Amino acid sequence: MASPKMFMIIAIVAVSVPSILATEHLVGDATGWKPGFDYGAWANGKEFHVGDTLVFKYRAGAHNVLRVNGTGFQECKAADDTVPLSSGNDVISLSTPGKKWYICGFAQQCESGNQKLAITVLAQLRSPSTSPSPSPTGTSPSGATGSTVSRYYGLIVAIVGMVML
Ligand SMILES: *[C@@H]1O[C@H](CO)[C@@H](O)[C@H](O)[C@H]1NC(C)=O
């Protein structure tokens, strides 16, 4: 029989699962968003999922972030009505699947091959079963995937604990 406590648990899980499984991607890691960094290599091998966020960090006024389409990415041109992100700590929510392109609109950085990022956002939710290299014993997850996995199991343990209270 459904109890008020059960509804509360379901509500808490429904609200917290997407945020717990979402990942914040700091573009360029410690380097941030600046010339002389290979953003193609940075994105290579990373998984971007709907619900994740991209964070562009740079000195405000020195760079910016323009969202462009594939043509704009090749030609380093944004549409006339594109509003640049310019705070120096720009957070972009990846809310739809598909290819996304970002360039810097300052001083020919894009034209010289710098400061351009192309990613593909995957539609499905992040899941521990997509772990690229499961260990044979299943006991030693490592790296970013491992932290997602352990957070996921932490959530499961928390839910089971709440149900059994
Ligand atoms: C890409 O954006 C440009 C404006 O910068 C626009 O002229 C062009 O039609 C767009 N291409 C596509 C495929 O949407």
Side-chain angles (χ1 to χ4, degrees), residues 114-128:
N114 281 305
Q115 284 186 286
K116 49 197 302 189
L117 171 67
I119 62 169
T120 301
V121 179
L122 304 172
Q124 78 270 25
L125 273 182
R126 208 169 274 288
S127 145

Side-chain angles (χ1 to χ4, degrees), residues 69 71 77-79:
N69 62 22
T71 313
K77 277 201 182 73

Side-chain angles (χ1 to χ4, degrees), residues 59-147:
R59 193 157 53 80
H63 306 290
N64 66 6
V65 180
L66 299 171
R67 290 178 241 224
V68 296
N69 62 22
T71 313
F73 183 77
Q74 295 302 328
E75 298 177 354
C76 295
K77 277 201 182 73
D80 291 340
D81 59 354
T82 302
V83 179
L85 302 173
S86 55
S87 75
N89 187 9
D90 304 329
V91 179
I92 296 178
S93 293
L94 303 174
S95 51
T96 56
K99 291 215 77 165
K100 314 285 168 190
W101 300 270
Y102 307 93
I103 64 173
C104 174
F106 273 61
Q108 318 279 304
Q109 291 304 345
C110 177
E111 284 87 341
S112 58
N114 281 305
Q115 284 186 286
K116 49 197 302 189
L117 171 67
I119 62 169
T120 301
V121 179
L122 304 172
Q124 78 270 25
L125 273 182
R126 208 169 274 288
S127 145
S129 65
T130 62
S131 173
S133 55
S135 80
T137 60
T139 54
S140 55
S142 61
T145 307
S147 77

Side-chain angles (χ1 to χ4, degrees), residues 8-9 70 103 126 158 163-164:
M8 212 166 98
I9 290 167
I103 64 173
R126 208 169 274 288
V163 170
M164 289 172 77

